[in-house]
C-alpha cells in the first residue's frame, strides 16, 4: 500500500468527498485533519468490524505524531461509548497488533497508556474502588478526569488523599464534600 492509496481508501470508506488526496499528501496538517474526520465517522458507526483495518491504515502514515493523535481520538471516542471494561478490553485487544507495529516507541507507549487509563476508568465506573498503588499507575490526565467526573465518594476520597498533584487532591476533596454527591 502507498500513502496515496491509504489516504484515498480512508476518505472513500468514510464518505468524505471534500478532501483532495493530493492536498492531504502534500500537507501533513491537512492529512491529520482528514484522519480526525475519518475517526469521527468511524466512531459514529454502530459496527466495530472495520476499526482494526482503519487503525492499521492510519498507523502506516510516516508522520507518526499525526497518526498517533488520530488513533488516540478513536480510543477516546470508543471508550465513552462502550458498555463497560470487558467490551473495551476486547475492542482494544484487537488493535494491539497494529499499535505494536509503530516504530516510534513514544507514540506506541502513549496509545497503550491511554488504553490502560480508559480500562482503569471503566472499571472504576463499573464499581471497582482502586488502591493507592493502582491509582499511581494511571496518568495525571486520568486522575484529573476521575477527579472531575467520578461520583463515587470512595474514589474521590482516594484521589483527595493519594492524587498525584495538589490540584487533583484539592479538586477531589472539594467534590467529595459536595452535598449532592453524598446523597447519591
Amino acid at each position: 500500500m502507498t500513502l496515496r492509496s491509504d489516504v484515498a481508501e480512508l476518505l472513500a470508506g468514510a464518505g468524505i468527498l471534500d478532501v483532495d488526496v493530493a492536498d492531504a499528501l502534500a500537507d501533513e496538517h491537512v492529512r491529520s485533519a482528514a484522519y480526525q474526520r475519518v475517526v469521527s465517522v468511524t466512531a459514529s458507526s454502530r459496527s466495530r468490524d472495520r476499526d482494526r483495518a482503519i487503525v492499521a491504515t492510519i498507523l502506516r502514515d510516516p508522520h507518526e505524531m499525526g497518526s498517533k493523535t488520530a488513533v488516540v481520538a478513536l480510543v477516546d471516542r470508543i471508550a465513552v461509548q462502550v458498555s463497560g471494561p470487558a467490551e473495551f478490553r476486547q475492542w482494544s485487544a484487537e488493535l494491539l497488533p497494529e499499535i505494536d507495529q509503530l516504530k516510534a516507541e513514544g507514540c506506541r507507549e502513549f496509545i497503550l497508556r491511554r488504553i490502560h487509563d480508559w480500562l482503569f476508568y471503566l472499571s472504576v465506573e463499573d464499581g471497582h474502588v482502586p488502591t493507592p498503588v493502582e491509582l499511581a499507575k494511571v496518568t495525571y490526565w486520568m486522575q484529573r478526569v476521575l477527579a472531575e467526573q467520578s461520583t463515587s465518594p470512595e474514589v474521590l476520597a482516594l484521589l483527595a488523599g493519594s492524587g498525584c498533584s495538589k490540584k487533583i487532591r484539592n479538586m477531589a476533596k472539594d467534590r467529595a464534600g459536595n452535598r449532592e454527591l453524598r446523597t447519591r
Side-chain angles (χ1 to χ4, degrees), residues 27-49:
D27 186 341
E28 67 192 37
H29 300 290
V30 172
R31 200 163 60 250
S32 291
Y35 289 160
Q36 290 296 327
R37 290 179 62 193
V38 168
V39 162
S40 179
V41 170
T42 302
S44 297
S45 171
R46 287 192 174 142
S47 172
R48 305 276 48 100
D49 294 344

Side-chain angles (χ1 to χ4, degrees), residues 82-93 118-119 122-123 126:
V82 296
S83 62
E87 183 181 348
F88 186 72
R89 184 175 289 105
Q90 180 180 354
W91 176 82
S92 62
W118 279 118
L119 284 167
L122 292 166
S123 71
D126 204 35

Side-chain angles (χ1 to χ4, degrees), residues 28-29 31-32 35 58 60-68:
E28 67 192 37
H29 300 290
R31 200 163 60 250
S32 291
Y35 289 160
I58 290 172
R60 281 196 296 265
D61 191 302
H63 182 249
E64 287 188 333
M65 185 61 76
S67 61
K68 174 207 76 162

Side-chain angles (χ1 to χ4, degrees), residues 59-124:
L59 290 178
R60 281 196 296 265
D61 191 302
H63 182 249
E64 287 188 333
M65 185 61 76
S67 61
K68 174 207 76 162
T69 301
V71 171
V72 167
L74 182 62
V75 167
D76 290 348
R77 292 184 78 152
I78 298 302
V80 298
Q81 294 176 10
V82 296
S83 62
E87 183 181 348
F88 186 72
R89 184 175 289 105
Q90 180 180 354
W91 176 82
S92 62
E94 293 175 16
L95 304 183
L96 294 180
E98 307 311 328
I99 295 166
D100 286 342
Q101 298 297 314
L102 271 171
K103 292 181 184 98
E105 184 178 343
C107 291
R108 183 176 56 251
E109 291 303 315
F110 188 91
I111 297 169
L112 293 173
R113 275 193 316 269
R114 184 59 65 98
I115 289 169
H116 175 264
D117 278 353
W118 279 118
L119 284 167
F120 182 85
Y121 178 87
L122 292 166
S123 71
V124 166

Side-chain angles (χ1 to χ4, degrees), residues 9-29:
E9 177 187 317
L10 285 170
L11 293 171
I16 299 171
L17 307 175
D18 61 343
V19 175
D20 185 86
V21 174
D23 290 345
L25 293 173
D27 186 341
E28 67 192 37
H29 300 290

